Amino acid sequence: MTQHLTGLAVSLLLFASTPAALAGTTIIHAGELLAVPGKAVKSEQTIVIKDDRIVEVRKGYSDPGEFEGAITVIDLKDQFVLPGLMDMHVHLQGQLGPRNDSETLKMSSQQVEMRSVMFGMRTLLAGFTTVRDAGSSSQEMYALRDGINKGWGDGPRIIAAGGVGITGGHADISGVSPELMEMFTSENICDGPYDCRRATRNVIKYGADWIKITSTGGVLTDRATGTGQQMEADELREVVLAAKRMGKKVASHAHEEDGIIAALKAGVASIEHGSYTGPEAIKLFKETGAYLVPTLLAGETTVKMAKNSDFMSPAIKEKAIKTGAAMKDNFYKSYIAGVKIAYGTDSGVSKHGTNAREAVLMVKAGMPEMDVIKSATVNAADLLDMSSSIGTIEAGKYADIIAVNNSPLDNIEELLDVGFVMKGGKVYKNQRLRHP
Ligand SMILES: [Zn+2]
């Protein structure tokens, strides 16, 4: 009995701390609704939600009396409503800054995990209901993902990639003493095709949803090893094949075109950054159907930091300034040539919760607002093979819904101030309730 009561008390406590858990049916009156990005906006619509799913979208404002049982009505009549945004490239465990080195020495993995809960919430409250984490300390990330899915805590829906990289490459540890390097070297660092096959199987074994590789060097590797191709074609092929055999897709970080081409030829599903994408890579993107995840925000952030702060080494600064400039130009060339674009920020380089700034940069680079929103919803869901459950506001999908004051199709900066966030039918933010 005592045990029973304790259990009840705990569940009541959990319920009380859960933001606006809605039982039964919820209806949202949406003033303007972009249910399917890429298609027309509709005025005065009702979204019907049961538990965590959308049941139907009706014309006009339905009366609560039309439904049976307890009904919660959410009034977004003066709002622009759209599907929850999705960021295909975040690193929820860190944030670039001058104290990163000492944090690595001082923080326990448990503290890193607790902080990632905060970064996850910042992301969710900014309107990003789904993210693909592109590489973090693996068990801590999988625990965060699973904990959120089980309802033990709140945060965005996480698709977690496990990293596979080569010795001395961008995914490997750099910039610390040899003793620390040895201590921090992941068992998923591999050399040669068979070793990389092993590493790929290993990250899948321990819980990765995706595989993240680095076919070229990277800006933030503290070594003057460039941003060109680093993984060999045979290593890339083995990773993609081993992943495919177990039903997983591969994302490759790549800056220079040789590494983009090599990764696309091996069959990766997405290229991250793609800074020096040229005509040959564009042709391959279109042939393979792979997505480009541009991360313009990472380019902008690292260029600013390289110019205005002194915590980066000369090797990093030089790479940052060069790749940041190339990224913007080549992103637009790729888009206009018909390369599929999925939204990604590399948040963790930039600050968590500022993910919508990528949209502003994409529009500045020349991409129309509707296509930007599509890249962060419909396209991202397609890249994740999750189009049947997320990406639009349609019957059968998770109720991942956000709202802004005015149409982001007229002014993309509206996305910087998301006032309403629902994920899986649960309201996490409703600014209009706080200021009635
Ligand atoms: Zn990244």
Side-chain angles (χ1 to χ4, degrees):
M1 186 65 186
T2 317
Q3 209 177 2
H4 177 76
L5 276 178
T6 312
L8 186 69
V10 167
S11 62
L12 283 173
L13 204 69
L14 281 174
F15 184 78
S17 68
T18 303
L22 302 167
T25 302
T26 301
I27 58 173
I28 295 178
H29 289 154
E32 304 251 37
L33 176 65
L34 178 62
V36 182
K39 294 193 177 164
V41 177
K42 291 180 181 168
S43 300
E44 301 193 358
Q45 302 283 305
T46 299
I47 308 164
V48 184
I49 298 148
K50 185 118 179 68
D51 303 321
D52 58 352
R53 301 270 181 170
I54 296 157
V55 182
E56 67 173 303
V57 179
R58 294 184 181 183
K59 237 197 263 177
Y61 295 137
S62 300
D63 192 88
E66 294 170 34
F67 303 89
E68 278 179 23
I71 304 290
T72 307
V73 183
I74 297 174
D75 178 3
L76 299 176
K77 285 178 184 160
D78 62 355
Q79 297 284 295
F80 185 100
V81 179
L82 67 161
L85 301 172
M86 302 166 69
D87 189 332
M88 293 299 95
H89 196 128
V90 301
H91 299 276
L92 285 178
Q93 286 174 353
Q95 203 159 268
L96 185 63
R99 287 194 302 274
N100 287 164
D101 283 354
S102 66
E103 281 172 2
T104 304
L105 293 176
K106 289 177 180 173
M107 285 177 75
S108 68
S109 55
Q110 291 82 359
Q111 286 174 320
V112 168
E113 164 116 57
M114 288 309 295
R115 193 178 57 173
S116 73
V117 174
M118 176 182 75
F119 289 150
M121 270 319 279
R122 285 183 188 170
T123 306
L124 177 62
L125 294 177
F128 287 79
T129 49
T130 299
V131 298
R132 186 180 61 176
D133 189 277
S136 286
S137 266
S138 53
Q139 281 316 310
E140 288 79 7
M141 183 47 57
Y142 305 153
L144 179 66
R145 170 196 68 192
D146 298 344
I148 291 169
N149 285 342
K150 288 173 194 289
W152 296 344
D154 295 320
R157 189 169 283 112
I158 296 172
I159 312 303
V164 172
I166 55 164
T167 299
H170 179 52
D172 203 358
I173 180 83
S174 64
V176 295
S177 70
E179 289 83 355
L180 285 173
M181 278 202 214
E182 207 169 310
M183 206 189 250
F184 285 113
T185 297
S186 156
E187 58 178 349
N188 302 320
I189 293 299
C190 59
D191 293 291
Y194 298 118
D195 194 24
C196 290
R197 180 192 284 180
R198 172 202 59 77
T200 304
R201 290 170 174 172
N202 196 53
V203 294
I204 295 170
K205 171 181 173 181
Y206 285 99
D209 300 313
W210 269 71
I211 308 298
K212 161 82 181 294
I213 56 172
T214 51
S215 68
T216 74
V219 170
L220 296 177
T221 295
D222 197 0
R223 266 189 286 270
T225 40
T227 52
Q229 183 175 351
Q230 291 187 338
M231 288 181 81
E232 294 302 335
D234 55 358
E235 292 168 327
L236 293 164
R237 266 198 311 271
E238 279 302 328
V239 170
V240 173
L241 183 61
K244 192 176 156 207
R245 295 279 190 227
M246 295 186 186
K248 305 294 179 197
K249 290 167 100 172
V250 181
S252 183
H253 152 113
H255 288 298
E256 288 185 29
E257 195 174 22
D258 53 358
I260 299 172
I261 290 170
L264 288 172
K265 280 186 176 163
V268 300
S270 68
I271 294 286
E272 314 296 304
H273 321 303
S275 312
Y276 295 93
T277 301
E280 203 186 334
I282 286 175
K283 211 170 131 237
L284 273 171
F285 265 113
K286 292 171 77 176
E287 268 170 36
T288 59
Y291 276 91
L292 171 64
V293 180
T295 72
L296 303 180
L297 185 53
E300 191 197 60
T301 308
T302 50
V303 169
K304 271 189 193 158
M305 282 182 174
K307 288 182 178 164
N308 304 322
S309 66
D310 57 5
F311 73 91
M312 287 172 163
S313 71
I316 292 179
K317 278 188 180 177
E318 197 195 319
K319 287 184 282 184
I321 290 167
K322 258 168 78 180
T323 48
M327 208 181 251
K328 247 188 277 173
D329 287 358
N330 293 321
F331 154 67
Y332 184 68
K333 284 182 196 153
S334 307
Y335 161 73
I336 214 72
V339 173
K340 295 197 285 182
I341 308 287
Y343 192 97
T345 59
D346 214 350
S347 286
V349 172
S350 51
K351 286 196 171 78
H352 295 286
T354 65
N355 312 55
R357 290 189 53 227
E358 178 79 18
V360 177
L361 296 176
M362 289 165 99
V363 169
K364 262 192 199 156
M367 193 174 183
E369 288 83 350
M370 183 66 100
D371 281 350
V372 171
I373 294 172
K374 206 174 152 198
S375 79
T377 52
V378 175
N379 292 6
D382 179 50
L383 173 58
L384 296 176
D385 291 330
M386 292 176 78
S387 299
S388 61
S389 58
I390 48 177
T392 64
I393 300 177
E394 292 178 295
K397 301 204 180 178
Y398 284 118
D400 290 359
I401 296 167
I402 64 168
V404 289
N405 284 328
N406 299 296
S407 174
L409 299 171
D410 298 333
N411 178 9
I412 200 70
E413 292 194 6
E414 289 290 331
L415 295 180
L416 297 173
D417 186 16
V418 172
F420 175 84
V421 178
M422 172 185 271
K423 185 197 130 208
K426 217 161 106 177
V427 177
Y428 289 89
K429 187 184 195 179
N430 191 349
Q431 276 176 348
R432 306 167 76 262
L433 284 183
R434 235 186 292 148
H435 311 284

